[in-house]
């Protein structure tokens, strides 16, 4: 990453660009590499500027040197288009991009750049003539023209019918509701009386939304009471702009699932992720989402069912709400690669961008599973206007380059504006705890406070009488700097507490549980039956049976409910075993374990040398005094 990439555009350059996406009066073709010097056949005025000539009739296409010999046309040249072009370049696929900005992010990496509006029918038709398949990185395109082109034999993926549904959010909600997909209650409003009636029906707060051209929080507003309805309607452009309302959804988390569908209808789903928003703009994506497995399956099922109800191939992003009562509601769908899938570039075997190309070209779909246990994607949003904003972004990127597992993506947008998506940073690691700690370092947060709030291990016991033994496990975890929590959870006296504790441990970030138990020793086994986390049992010595009852109870768990165990009273080994489990996904911790073992070896070798040099009697006198 060079500093020059982050410098603000010159005033001259800034004066030629606009903060909006203008419609260019004359489309121009900017080829990459530069066009040949041979004369081009006549083209329409819109496409006459500069472009490689199409092969004449009867002339065969040049041989394919990549995965596909077909040219992909992309409507939109923003950051999604840029990353789509980067994936295409790796596969040897040529991409022609249509975008109104001469220096749009995709312009530096595409094969050809058409300077023109992606909602201009004439320009889209010119692009279609030069491409084998049309796709999108933005859904605000001329869907009517696309429908006409499809009838003329042009391949559009996904289909124009899907774009028409997605472009109108009210129509989108109607479609999914009719297909039996769970959504929040909604109703169209076109007068003050109708929206007041909706407020009476749904209650307040009331979510008011624009039907079209709403994204990144734009086009949404909240009315907190009946008095605020008029001002909310005005802020969204009035009823003539097209509005509808939704019942307010109290949600626990916002989720997203990227679904890919091939041209033959096969689908694959990426792991469920959690999206965290700031001022209604996606700010952080955590993959995989820290939710129960049952909720992941439900979210994936809803997402896949939604995409199967639409037409066409490609990658689709399904945004969902996980409600406080464990329901999954569909929020909206994007028929294209999406912000919630950026992390797939580093974290998954097949990125969403490569997957989109595979899908629309009829190539086999790739493996969507994660190759890293945990990932966080952090959006670089403009913190200030102009040059000060570039400086702040540059400082953030410099810190990111010192973070293990971090990758920087800079979109090279010419203008810096507050809350504008300028790039993103992906951090991969061996656990969500680790990647969150790296994010805290990147953002210069108080990591000590975070570490205390996010334990990786848990030490539980049935009674405080077990503490003299279980403290040895705590000492080991402290020695290896593993954050942990220590508490009393009785299987017999506090069964509900044990049940709630075991079910919530995984979601709270716990990765391994050490459970001490004497007497009947039911605690380790009961906890193991309620969680997917590894459980290590520590048999506690008792006067009656000297801990044998505890040991036998733990090791005789039924098939399907494994519990590891150690010798009676050996909580130190339980702590070491827990550290080893964590170290299998944590290189830094693994290094500390290796150093610990080396120290053990050095200690034994040192004793052996002293014994050999001094003899038995002298060794006993010096080193083993009674």
């Amino acid at each position: 990453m060079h500093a020059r990439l982050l410098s603000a555009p010159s005033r001259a350059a800034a004066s030629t660009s606009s903060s909006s996406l203008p419609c260019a009066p004359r489309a121009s073709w900017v080829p990459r590499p530069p066009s040949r010097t041979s004369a081009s056949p006549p083209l329409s005025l819109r496409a006459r500027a500069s472009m490689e000539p199409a092969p004449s009739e009867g002339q065969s296409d040049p041989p394919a040197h990549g995965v596909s010999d077909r040219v992909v046309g992309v409507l939109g040249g923003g950051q999604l288009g840029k990353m789509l072009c980067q994936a295409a370049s790796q596969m040897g696929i040529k991409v022609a991009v249509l975008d109104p900005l001469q220096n749009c992010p995709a312009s530096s990496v595409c094969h050809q750049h058409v300077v023109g509006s992606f909602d201009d029918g004439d320009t889209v038709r010119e692009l279609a003539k030069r491409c084998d398949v049309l796709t999108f990185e933005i859904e605000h395109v001329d869907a009517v023209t696309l429908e006409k082109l499809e009838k003329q034999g042009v391949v559009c993926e996904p289909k124009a019918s899907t774009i028409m549904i997605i472009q109108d959010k009210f129509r989108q909600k109607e479609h999914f509701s009719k297909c039996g997909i769970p959504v929040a209650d909604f109703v169209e409003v076109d007068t003050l009386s109708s929206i007041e009636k909706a407020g009476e029906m749904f209650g307040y707060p009331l979510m008011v939304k624009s039907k079209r051209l709403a994204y990144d929080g734009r086009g949404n507003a909240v009315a907190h009471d009946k008095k605020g309805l008029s001002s909310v309607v005005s802020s969204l452009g009035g009823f003539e702009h097209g509005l509808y309302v939704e019942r307010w959804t109290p949600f626990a988390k916002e989720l997203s699932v990227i679904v890919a569908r091939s041209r033959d209808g096969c689908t694959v789903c990426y792991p469920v992720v959690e999206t965290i928003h700031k001022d209604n703009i996606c700010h952080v994506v955590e993959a995989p989402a820290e939710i129960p497995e049952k909720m992941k399956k439900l979210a994936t099922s809803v997402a896949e069912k939604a995409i199967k109800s639409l037409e066409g191939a490609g990658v689709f992003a399904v945004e969902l709400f996980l409600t406080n009562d464990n329901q999954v509601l569909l929020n909206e769908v994007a028929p294209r690669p999406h912000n919630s899938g950026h992390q797939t570039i580093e974290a998954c075997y097949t990125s969403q961008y490569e997957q989109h190309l595979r899908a629309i070209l009829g190539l086999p779909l790739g493996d969507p599973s994660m190759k890293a246990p945990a990932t966080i994607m952090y959006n670089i949003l403009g913190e200030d206007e102009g040059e000060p904003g570039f400086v702040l972004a540059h400082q953030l990127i410099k810190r990111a380059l010192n973070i293990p597992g971090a990758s920087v993506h800079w979109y090279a947008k010419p203008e810096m504006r507050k809350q504008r998506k300028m790039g993103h940073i992906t951090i991969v690691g061996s656990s969500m705890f680790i990647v969150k700690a790296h994010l805290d370092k990147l953002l210069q947060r108080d990591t000590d406070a975070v570490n205390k709030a996010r334990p990786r291990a848990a030490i539980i016991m049935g009674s405080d009488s077990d503490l003299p033994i279980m403290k040895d496990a705590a000492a080991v975890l402290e020695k290896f700097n593993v954050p942990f929590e220590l508490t009393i959870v009785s299987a017999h006296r506090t069964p509900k507490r044990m049940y709630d504790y075991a079910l919530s441990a995984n979601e709270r970030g716990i990765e391994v549980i050490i459970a001490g138990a004497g007497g009947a020793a039911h605690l380790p086994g009961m906890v193991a039956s309620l969680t997917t986390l590894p459980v290590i049992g520590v048999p506690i010595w008792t006067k009656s049976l000297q801990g044998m009852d505890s040991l036998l109870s733990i090791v005789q768990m039924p098939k399907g409910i494994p519990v590891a165990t150690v010798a009676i009273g050996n909580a130190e080994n339980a702590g070491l075993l827990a550290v080893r489990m964590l170290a299998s996904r944590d290189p830094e911790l693994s290094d500390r374990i290796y150093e610990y073992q080396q120290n053990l070896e050095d200690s034994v070798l040192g004793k052996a040398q002293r014994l050999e040099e001094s003899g038995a009697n002298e060794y006993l006198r010096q080193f083993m005094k009674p």
Side-chain angles (χ1 to χ4, degrees), residues 29 31 35-36 38-44 47-48 50-62 71 94 111-112 125-132:
W29 293 80
S35 59
R36 297 190 295 267
S38 57
S40 302
L43 296 174
S44 70
R48 189 172 291 171
S50 63
M51 175 187 168
E52 286 191 24
S56 57
E57 291 187 14
Q59 179 182 344
S60 62
D61 289 335
V71 178
K94 294 180 179 179
H111 177 65
Q112 292 173 331
R125 274 188 288 272
E126 288 293 342
L127 176 68
K129 292 177 184 178
R130 299 311 193 272
C131 302
D132 299 281

Short mmCIF file of all heavy atoms in Angstrom, two decimals, residues 29 31 35-36 38-44 47-48 50-62 71 94 111-112 125-132:
data_model
loop_
_atom_site.label_atom_id
_atom_site.label_comp_id
_atom_site.label_asym_id
_atom_site.label_seq_id
_atom_site.Cartn_x
_atom_site.Cartn_y
_atom_site.Cartn_z
N TRP A 29 -15.87 4.41 -24.86
CA TRP A 29 -15.28 3.11 -24.56
C TRP A 29 -13.80 3.30 -24.28
O TRP A 29 -13.06 3.81 -25.11
CB TRP A 29 -15.47 2.15 -25.74
CG TRP A 29 -16.88 1.79 -25.96
CD1 TRP A 29 -17.83 2.52 -26.60
CD2 TRP A 29 -17.53 0.60 -25.53
NE1 TRP A 29 -19.02 1.87 -26.60
CE2 TRP A 29 -18.88 0.68 -25.96
CE3 TRP A 29 -17.11 -0.53 -24.83
CZ2 TRP A 29 -19.79 -0.33 -25.71
CZ3 TRP A 29 -18.02 -1.53 -24.60
CH2 TRP A 29 -19.36 -1.43 -25.02
N PRO A 31 -10.73 1.07 -23.60
CA PRO A 31 -10.28 -0.31 -23.53
C PRO A 31 -9.05 -0.47 -22.66
O PRO A 31 -8.26 0.43 -22.50
CB PRO A 31 -9.94 -0.64 -24.99
CG PRO A 31 -9.55 0.67 -25.57
CD PRO A 31 -10.36 1.71 -24.87
N SER A 35 -6.64 0.35 -27.35
CA SER A 35 -7.17 -0.19 -28.59
C SER A 35 -6.11 -0.21 -29.67
O SER A 35 -5.15 0.54 -29.67
CB SER A 35 -8.37 0.66 -29.04
OG SER A 35 -7.97 1.98 -29.22
N ARG A 36 -6.32 -1.12 -30.64
CA ARG A 36 -5.38 -1.23 -31.75
C ARG A 36 -5.50 0.00 -32.65
O ARG A 36 -6.51 0.71 -32.65
CB ARG A 36 -5.67 -2.49 -32.56
CG ARG A 36 -5.47 -3.77 -31.75
CD ARG A 36 -5.54 -4.98 -32.68
NE ARG A 36 -6.87 -5.14 -33.26
CZ ARG A 36 -7.80 -5.90 -32.73
NH1 ARG A 36 -7.56 -6.53 -31.62
NH2 ARG A 36 -8.97 -6.01 -33.30
N SER A 38 -5.64 -0.04 -35.84
CA SER A 38 -6.37 -0.29 -37.08
C SER A 38 -7.72 0.37 -37.05
O SER A 38 -8.29 0.63 -36.01
CB SER A 38 -6.52 -1.81 -37.28
OG SER A 38 -7.19 -2.37 -36.17
N ALA A 39 -8.25 0.65 -38.24
CA ALA A 39 -9.52 1.36 -38.34
C ALA A 39 -10.65 0.52 -37.79
O ALA A 39 -10.69 -0.69 -37.98
CB ALA A 39 -9.80 1.70 -39.80
N SER A 40 -11.58 1.17 -37.08
CA SER A 40 -12.71 0.48 -36.48
C SER A 40 -13.92 0.60 -37.38
O SER A 40 -14.11 1.61 -38.07
CB SER A 40 -13.04 1.07 -35.11
OG SER A 40 -11.92 0.98 -34.28
N PRO A 41 -14.79 -0.39 -37.41
CA PRO A 41 -16.02 -0.27 -38.17
C PRO A 41 -16.91 0.78 -37.54
O PRO A 41 -16.79 1.08 -36.35
CB PRO A 41 -16.63 -1.67 -38.05
CG PRO A 41 -16.05 -2.25 -36.81
CD PRO A 41 -14.68 -1.67 -36.71
N PRO A 42 -17.83 1.35 -38.30
CA PRO A 42 -18.69 2.40 -37.76
C PRO A 42 -19.50 1.90 -36.58
O PRO A 42 -20.02 0.79 -36.59
CB PRO A 42 -19.61 2.76 -38.95
CG PRO A 42 -18.89 2.27 -40.15
CD PRO A 42 -18.11 1.08 -39.72
N LEU A 43 -19.58 2.73 -35.53
CA LEU A 43 -20.41 2.44 -34.36
C LEU A 43 -21.38 3.60 -34.17
O LEU A 43 -21.25 4.65 -34.79
CB LEU A 43 -19.56 2.28 -33.10
CG LEU A 43 -18.56 1.12 -33.09
CD1 LEU A 43 -17.73 1.21 -31.83
CD2 LEU A 43 -19.29 -0.21 -33.14
N SER A 44 -22.34 3.41 -33.29
CA SER A 44 -23.24 4.52 -33.00
C SER A 44 -22.46 5.63 -32.31
O SER A 44 -21.36 5.43 -31.81
CB SER A 44 -24.36 4.03 -32.07
OG SER A 44 -23.84 3.77 -30.81
N ALA A 47 -21.04 4.97 -28.82
CA ALA A 47 -19.93 4.05 -28.58
C ALA A 47 -18.73 4.35 -29.45
O ALA A 47 -17.85 3.53 -29.59
CB ALA A 47 -20.40 2.62 -28.82
N ARG A 48 -18.67 5.56 -30.05
CA ARG A 48 -17.66 5.82 -31.04
C ARG A 48 -16.32 6.24 -30.45
O ARG A 48 -15.32 6.23 -31.14
CB ARG A 48 -18.16 6.90 -32.02
CG ARG A 48 -17.25 7.08 -33.22
CD ARG A 48 -17.86 8.01 -34.23
NE ARG A 48 -19.01 7.38 -34.85
CZ ARG A 48 -19.84 8.05 -35.66
NH1 ARG A 48 -19.65 9.33 -35.90
NH2 ARG A 48 -20.87 7.43 -36.19
N SER A 50 -13.65 5.32 -28.18
CA SER A 50 -12.47 4.48 -28.39
C SER A 50 -12.73 3.10 -27.85
O SER A 50 -12.99 2.91 -26.68
CB SER A 50 -11.27 5.08 -27.68
OG SER A 50 -11.46 5.12 -26.30
N MET A 51 -12.68 2.12 -28.73
CA MET A 51 -12.93 0.75 -28.32
C MET A 51 -12.35 -0.19 -29.34
O MET A 51 -12.29 0.12 -30.52
CB MET A 51 -14.45 0.50 -28.21
CG MET A 51 -14.79 -0.94 -27.91
SD MET A 51 -16.53 -1.27 -27.98
CE MET A 51 -16.50 -3.05 -27.95
N GLU A 52 -11.91 -1.36 -28.90
CA GLU A 52 -11.42 -2.34 -29.85
C GLU A 52 -12.56 -2.75 -30.75
O GLU A 52 -13.68 -3.00 -30.30
CB GLU A 52 -10.88 -3.58 -29.11
CG GLU A 52 -9.56 -3.34 -28.42
CD GLU A 52 -8.96 -4.66 -27.95
OE1 GLU A 52 -9.31 -5.70 -28.52
OE2 GLU A 52 -8.16 -4.62 -27.02
N PRO A 53 -12.33 -2.86 -32.05
CA PRO A 53 -13.40 -3.24 -32.97
C PRO A 53 -13.83 -4.67 -32.73
O PRO A 53 -13.03 -5.53 -32.37
CB PRO A 53 -12.75 -3.08 -34.34
CG PRO A 53 -11.28 -3.24 -34.09
CD PRO A 53 -11.06 -2.63 -32.74
N ALA A 54 -15.12 -4.92 -32.95
CA ALA A 54 -15.61 -6.28 -32.84
C ALA A 54 -15.13 -7.08 -34.04
O ALA A 54 -14.88 -6.53 -35.11
CB ALA A 54 -17.15 -6.27 -32.79
N PRO A 55 -14.97 -8.40 -33.91
CA PRO A 55 -14.54 -9.21 -35.04
C PRO A 55 -15.53 -9.11 -36.19
O PRO A 55 -16.75 -9.05 -35.98
CB PRO A 55 -14.50 -10.63 -34.46
CG PRO A 55 -14.42 -10.45 -32.99
CD PRO A 55 -15.15 -9.19 -32.70
N SER A 56 -15.03 -9.03 -37.39
CA SER A 56 -15.90 -8.95 -38.55
C SER A 56 -16.59 -10.28 -38.77
O SER A 56 -16.17 -11.32 -38.26
CB SER A 56 -15.08 -8.57 -39.79
OG SER A 56 -14.04 -9.51 -39.98
N GLU A 57 -17.67 -10.27 -39.57
CA GLU A 57 -18.44 -11.48 -39.79
C GLU A 57 -17.56 -12.55 -40.42
O GLU A 57 -16.78 -12.30 -41.32
CB GLU A 57 -19.64 -11.18 -40.70
CG GLU A 57 -20.69 -10.31 -40.03
CD GLU A 57 -21.92 -10.19 -40.90
OE1 GLU A 57 -22.05 -10.97 -41.85
OE2 GLU A 57 -22.74 -9.32 -40.63
N GLY A 58 -17.71 -13.77 -39.91
CA GLY A 58 -16.93 -14.88 -40.44
C GLY A 58 -15.58 -15.04 -39.78
O GLY A 58 -14.93 -16.06 -39.92
N GLN A 59 -15.13 -14.00 -39.06
CA GLN A 59 -13.83 -14.07 -38.39
C GLN A 59 -13.98 -14.79 -37.05
O GLN A 59 -14.87 -14.49 -36.27
CB GLN A 59 -13.31 -12.65 -38.16
CG GLN A 59 -11.96 -12.61 -37.45
CD GLN A 59 -11.51 -11.19 -37.20
OE1 GLN A 59 -12.04 -10.28 -37.82
NE2 GLN A 59 -10.55 -11.02 -36.33
N SER A 60 -13.17 -15.78 -36.81
CA SER A 60 -13.28 -16.55 -35.58
C SER A 60 -12.72 -15.76 -34.42
O SER A 60 -11.83 -14.93 -34.58
CB SER A 60 -12.53 -17.88 -35.72
OG SER A 60 -11.16 -17.64 -35.95
N ASP A 61 -13.26 -16.02 -33.23
CA ASP A 61 -12.77 -15.36 -32.02
C ASP A 61 -11.35 -15.85 -31.73
O ASP A 61 -10.98 -16.96 -32.08
CB ASP A 61 -13.68 -15.68 -30.83
CG ASP A 61 -15.02 -14.99 -30.95
OD1 ASP A 61 -15.07 -13.95 -31.63
OD2 ASP A 61 -15.99 -15.51 -30.38
N PRO A 62 -10.54 -15.01 -31.06
CA PRO A 62 -9.20 -15.45 -30.69
C PRO A 62 -9.28 -16.61 -29.70
O PRO A 62 -10.28 -16.77 -29.00
CB PRO A 62 -8.59 -14.20 -30.04
CG PRO A 62 -9.76 -13.39 -29.60
CD PRO A 62 -10.82 -13.64 -30.62
N VAL A 71 -16.89 -12.81 -22.69
CA VAL A 71 -16.69 -11.49 -22.08
C VAL A 71 -17.88 -11.19 -21.18
O VAL A 71 -19.04 -11.31 -21.59
CB VAL A 71 -16.53 -10.39 -23.14
CG1 VAL A 71 -16.37 -9.02 -22.48
CG2 VAL A 71 -15.33 -10.69 -24.04
N LYS A 94 -12.32 -11.81 -19.22
CA LYS A 94 -12.36 -10.40 -19.56
C LYS A 94 -13.68 -9.78 -19.10
O LYS A 94 -14.74 -10.38 -19.25
CB LYS A 94 -12.19 -10.22 -21.07
CG LYS A 94 -10.81 -10.63 -21.59
CD LYS A 94 -10.69 -10.44 -23.09
CE LYS A 94 -9.29 -10.85 -23.57
NZ LYS A 94 -9.16 -10.70 -25.04
N HIS A 111 -11.08 -4.90 -18.21
CA HIS A 111 -10.55 -5.02 -19.57
C HIS A 111 -10.96 -3.83 -20.42
O HIS A 111 -10.18 -3.29 -21.19
CB HIS A 111 -11.03 -6.33 -20.20
CG HIS A 111 -10.59 -6.52 -21.62
ND1 HIS A 111 -9.26 -6.67 -21.96
CD2 HIS A 111 -11.30 -6.57 -22.78
CE1 HIS A 111 -9.16 -6.82 -23.27
NE2 HIS A 111 -10.38 -6.75 -23.79
N GLN A 112 -12.23 -3.42 -20.27
CA GLN A 112 -12.74 -2.25 -20.97
C GLN A 112 -13.67 -1.47 -20.05
O GLN A 112 -14.38 -2.06 -19.23
CB GLN A 112 -13.51 -2.65 -22.24
CG GLN A 112 -12.61 -3.24 -23.32
CD GLN A 112 -13.42 -3.78 -24.49
OE1 GLN A 112 -14.54 -4.21 -24.32
NE2 GLN A 112 -12.83 -3.78 -25.67
N ARG A 125 -27.50 -1.32 -24.32
CA ARG A 125 -27.58 -2.14 -25.53
C ARG A 125 -26.23 -2.22 -26.24
O ARG A 125 -25.84 -3.26 -26.76
CB ARG A 125 -28.65 -1.57 -26.47
CG ARG A 125 -30.06 -2.07 -26.16
CD ARG A 125 -31.05 -1.64 -27.21
NE ARG A 125 -31.34 -0.21 -27.13
CZ ARG A 125 -32.29 0.30 -26.36
NH1 ARG A 125 -33.04 -0.50 -25.62
NH2 ARG A 125 -32.50 1.60 -26.33
N GLU A 126 -25.49 -1.09 -26.28
CA GLU A 126 -24.17 -1.09 -26.89
C GLU A 126 -23.22 -2.03 -26.14
O GLU A 126 -22.42 -2.76 -26.74
CB GLU A 126 -23.58 0.33 -26.90
CG GLU A 126 -24.24 1.26 -27.90
CD GLU A 126 -24.00 0.86 -29.35
OE1 GLU A 126 -23.06 0.08 -29.60
OE2 GLU A 126 -24.75 1.31 -30.22
N LEU A 127 -23.31 -2.01 -24.81
CA LEU A 127 -22.48 -2.91 -24.02
C LEU A 127 -22.83 -4.36 -24.31
O LEU A 127 -21.93 -5.21 -24.47
CB LEU A 127 -22.66 -2.61 -22.52
CG LEU A 127 -21.91 -3.54 -21.56
CD1 LEU A 127 -20.41 -3.31 -21.68
CD2 LEU A 127 -22.37 -3.31 -20.13
N ALA A 128 -24.13 -4.65 -24.41
CA ALA A 128 -24.58 -6.02 -24.64
C ALA A 128 -24.03 -6.59 -25.94
O ALA A 128 -23.77 -7.80 -26.03
CB ALA A 128 -26.10 -6.08 -24.63
N LYS A 129 -23.85 -5.72 -26.95
CA LYS A 129 -23.34 -6.19 -28.24
C LYS A 129 -21.90 -6.71 -28.12
O LYS A 129 -21.47 -7.54 -28.92
CB LYS A 129 -23.37 -5.06 -29.26
CG LYS A 129 -24.76 -4.62 -29.69
CD LYS A 129 -24.67 -3.44 -30.65
CE LYS A 129 -26.06 -2.93 -31.03
NZ LYS A 129 -25.98 -1.74 -31.94
N ARG A 130 -21.17 -6.20 -27.17
CA ARG A 130 -19.76 -6.54 -27.03
C ARG A 130 -19.51 -7.62 -25.98
O ARG A 130 -18.37 -7.97 -25.72
CB ARG A 130 -18.95 -5.29 -26.65
CG ARG A 130 -18.99 -4.15 -27.68
CD ARG A 130 -18.72 -4.67 -29.06
NE ARG A 130 -18.46 -3.67 -30.05
CZ ARG A 130 -19.39 -3.06 -30.78
NH1 ARG A 130 -20.66 -3.30 -30.54
NH2 ARG A 130 -19.03 -2.22 -31.73
N CYS A 131 -20.56 -8.11 -25.32
CA CYS A 131 -20.40 -9.06 -24.22
C CYS A 131 -21.25 -10.31 -24.44
O CYS A 131 -22.21 -10.29 -25.21
CB CYS A 131 -20.80 -8.41 -22.90
SG CYS A 131 -19.84 -6.93 -22.51
N ASP A 132 -20.89 -11.36 -23.74
CA ASP A 132 -21.62 -12.62 -23.84
C ASP A 132 -22.64 -12.79 -22.72
O ASP A 132 -23.58 -13.58 -22.84
CB ASP A 132 -20.63 -13.79 -23.80
CG ASP A 132 -19.65 -13.74 -24.95
OD1 ASP A 132 -20.02 -14.15 -26.06
OD2 ASP A 132 -18.53 -13.26 -24.74
#
